[in-house]
Amino acid sequence: MERTDTEGSTPRVAVVTGAGGGLGSVIAGELARDGCRVVLVDRDRTAAEQTAAAIGGAAAMVRAVDITAQGEVRELIDDIGARFGRLDVLVNSAGVERVHPLETLDESDWDLTMDVNVKGPMLLSRAAVPLWREQKSGAVVNISSRAWSGGSANASYASSKAALVGLTVSMAVELGPLGVRANAVAPSFVRTPFNESRTDVPDLAGMIERYTAFTPLRRLIDPSDVAHAVTFLASERARNITGEVLHVCAGSQLPPVP
Ligand SMILES: NC(=O)c1ccc[n+]([C@@H]2O[C@H](COP(=O)([O-])OP(=O)(O)OC[C@H]3O[C@@H](n4cnc5c(N)ncnc54)[C@H](O)[C@@H]3O)[C@@H](O)[C@H]2O)c1
């Protein structure tokens, strides 16, 4: 049975960016199971359509949007307003990672990473404020990363994910009086098809084994672990939780015992 926040109310409208990705697709599916109608946004239309096919009737709209282009983002949010009259949940999952040492960091990689991982979520959130003000509610979940607070030697990615936490806490304070909550989820390395086919990491299997052994729980993260955290934070069950960073990383955010 479809669940709604309020018995008898219409299903929530949820937007997921990066909905064609390894995590975004699973998050979209979990939000659908939690009773949302999901707007699937990705630069890659084919990938978003695959997610739509997987979630069936809960897919409310598929949109090919570059989240760094403010015109495209405004048009998307305007269309959502016109069609549904509301936007209850915004999950900013679209993201990029360029791996590099600082010494050879290319400015174009830095700019791209900041644009997609920080500016994109800001543009979507900014465009949604009028809808949130009108409906006096809203929930934003930004997909940051364990890398936001350390443990990653990847300057552009770590900086972008820390900035995304800054955006999240700022939004929580500014938009709280409108009834809007903003939280972040910070996963560590997730078992996704994308990660499992990475060629930029020599000895990926060995890296996964070492990483898993480093976590207090001795476990690797599954996309469903992240999706469950997102779905909770997006729901009324978390109605008094805002400005938080929920680590989904088997305890690897904790400093190891020396
Ligand atoms: N997979 C992991 O191990 C992991 C760990 C921690 C955090 N994260 C974060 O989780 C999020 C999702 O990761 P994923 O594993 O699903 O990655 P992914 O590469 O599988 O998917 C990312 C999606 O974002 C889309 N995208 C990229 N740039 C875009 C743009 N400008 N406009 C619209 N869409 C765009 C891509 O087309 C892709 O479908 C990212 O923000 C990532 O940084 C991932």
Side-chain angles (χ1 to χ4, degrees):
M1 196 177 74
E2 230 183 33
R3 252 179 43 199
T4 52
D5 281 347
T6 317
E7 195 72 19
S9 71
T10 49
R12 290 167 293 154
V13 174
V15 174
V16 179
T17 72
L23 273 180
S25 56
V26 178
I27 291 168
E30 203 53 41
L31 286 169
R33 260 186 292 284
D34 208 40
C36 294
R37 302 188 66 195
V38 190
V39 176
L40 304 154
V41 176
D42 203 296
R43 195 177 46 182
D44 181 344
R45 176 182 289 279
T46 308
E49 277 170 351
Q50 278 166 4
T51 303
I55 69 174
M61 201 193 260
V62 174
R63 290 293 293 262
V65 170
D66 176 354
I67 60 158
T68 68
Q70 71 164 311
E72 292 184 32
V73 168
R74 280 211 188 277
E75 202 179 315
L76 167 74
I77 303 295
D78 285 352
D79 287 354
I80 290 168
R83 175 136 168 217
F84 306 108
R86 56 189 306 109
L87 195 176
D88 300 289
V89 175
L90 169 62
V91 180
N92 286 303
S93 184
V96 293
E97 179 175 12
R98 295 286 181 271
V99 181
H100 51 71
L102 178 63
E103 197 177 2
T104 53
L105 198 171
D106 193 288
E107 263 185 70
S108 62
D109 280 341
W110 173 272
D111 291 345
L112 175 77
T113 309
M114 287 295 173
D115 279 357
V116 178
N117 295 3
V118 191
K119 190 169 109 175
M122 180 281 291
L123 290 176
L124 279 136
S125 306
R126 188 179 69 177
V129 171
L131 279 174
W132 290 333
R133 182 176 291 114
E134 204 169 313
Q135 69 196 42
K136 298 185 178 58
S137 66
V140 182
V141 184
N142 290 324
I143 310 300
S144 178
S145 163
R146 161 72 186 89
W148 84 277
S149 66
S152 159
N154 191 356
S156 62
Y157 187 70
S159 302
S160 73
K161 293 302 187 181
L164 187 57
V165 169
L167 176 68
T168 306
V169 296
S170 168
M171 283 173 53
V173 172
E174 186 180 335
L175 303 181
L178 302 184
V180 176
R181 299 180 298 104
N183 291 288
V185 169
S188 53
F189 188 89
V190 184
R191 193 191 299 272
T192 62
F194 169 77
N195 272 339
E196 281 172 6
S197 63
R198 275 174 79 155
T199 50
D200 60 322
V201 182
D203 187 23
L204 183 65
M207 192 275 269
I208 289 176
E209 203 173 303
R210 283 193 303 282
Y211 189 87
T212 305
F214 169 77
T215 69
L217 286 172
R218 309 285 190 268
R219 278 203 288 260
L220 195 63
I221 307 308
D222 189 80
S224 64
D225 299 325
V226 180
H228 290 146
V230 171
T231 307
F232 166 65
L233 288 172
S235 76
E236 271 294 291
R237 307 189 285 286
R239 70 194 180 107
N240 277 324
I241 301 175
T242 195
E244 285 294 337
V245 181
L246 184 50
H247 290 93
V248 181
C249 53
S252 66
Q253 83 280 17
L254 302 167
V257 177

